[in-house]
Structure formats: C-alpha cells, structure tokens
C-alpha cells in the first residue's frame, strides 16, 4: 500500500456523486467524491454513514432538520435514518462506509440519471 493524497485523488476525476475508494480499513471503504445539486432521499438500514467535508459546503436534510457542514466538519448519519445530501455550489467530501455499501442505500425515490448508484469505483491516479 502506498500513501494516497486526497487532493490528488479528488483531482483525478470529474464525475459527480460517483465516489472513488482511496483506502480500505478492515471491512470499511474510505471514499472521496464530488457532489453538486441534490442527491436523493435514502437510508442505510444496516450501517451508519460518515461524512467529512474536504472543500465546499454540504447540507444533509434529515426528516426533522437540516445539518450544514463546511470544510473540516464531520457528521454521522445513524443507521436507518432517512437523509438527503445536497450542495448548492458543490463540495468535495470523504465518506466512510462498510465495503459494498451502495451510495443510495435503500432509495425512497427514483434514482435520477445524474446519480451514480455505486459501491465505489477504484481510484485510478495518473
């Protein structure tokens, strides 16, 4: 295993809502992704979901409130909690989820074409 620079990893792709796996720790993927606009309402019944904003701002709508995150902020959505991430101006984020976890979990609405419903793509650095 070689060190991975998060800035270089994020610079290696442009696709939105399409995470790249930068490392695996035990049975958890460390993923980075770029987001802009809205994701969709969904939940992860089997796992919590960790968000860290690297750059930009991210809102995570919950059914009873919206959590606003800026650079360096972290937030954990507990397992089973319905949520909808969004970023009006774009953000770069780091996610920690069990390997194989879909980015849309159990979707509560139709998955739009712009959302890459994936378990994470392998990172390919130049």
């Amino acid at each position: 295993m070689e060190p991975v620079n998060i800035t270089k990893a994020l610079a290696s792709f442009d696709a939105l809502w399409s995470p790249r796996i930068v490392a695996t720790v035990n049975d958890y993927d460390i993923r980075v992704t770029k987001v802009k606009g809205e994701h969709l309402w969904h939940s992860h019944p089997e796992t919590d979901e960790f968000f860290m904003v690297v750059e930009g701002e991210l809102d995570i709508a919950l059914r009873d409130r919206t959590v606003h995150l800026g650079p360096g902020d972290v937030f954990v959505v507990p397992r089973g909690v319905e949520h909808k991430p969004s970023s009006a101006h774009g953000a770069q984020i780091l996610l920690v989820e069990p390997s194989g976890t879909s980015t849309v979990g159990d979707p509560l609405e139709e998955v739009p074409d712009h959302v890459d419903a994936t378990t994470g793509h392998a990172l390919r650095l130049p």
Side-chain angles (χ1 to χ4, degrees):
M1 178 78 184
E2 294 295 322
V4 175
N5 180 281
I6 296 297
T7 302
K8 289 180 182 177
L10 284 160
S12 72
F13 65 97
D14 293 319
L16 299 175
W17 303 104
S18 183
R20 300 305 193 264
I21 300 168
V22 297
T24 301
V25 179
N26 297 316
D27 296 329
Y28 284 79
D29 288 339
I30 312 303
R31 304 174 182 176
V32 293
T33 193
K34 296 176 180 180
V35 300
K36 187 172 184 182
E38 294 186 344
H39 198 38
L40 67 148
W41 282 104
H42 67 285
S43 67
H44 300 278
E46 303 299 324
T47 185
D48 299 339
E49 186 173 19
F50 174 94
F51 292 84
M52 177 181 160
V53 175
V54 175
E55 184 178 298
E57 296 182 345
L58 180 73
D59 291 321
I60 302 174
L62 307 171
R63 292 299 184 181
D64 63 344
R65 66 188 170 117
T66 297
V67 176
H68 179 78
L69 303 175
D73 289 340
V74 300
F75 183 72
V76 175
V77 176
R79 75 183 65 210
V81 172
E82 295 174 1
H83 59 288
K84 180 177 187 171
S86 65
S87 179
H89 303 290
Q92 297 179 353
I93 59 177
L94 183 140
L95 304 164
V96 178
E97 298 177 298
S99 298
T101 299
S102 170
T103 60
V104 297
D106 282 351
L108 302 171
E109 56 188 334
E110 187 173 330
V111 178
D113 290 338
H114 74 275
V115 173
D116 184 352
T118 180
T119 57
H121 300 285
L123 179 65
R124 299 194 198 304
L125 293 176

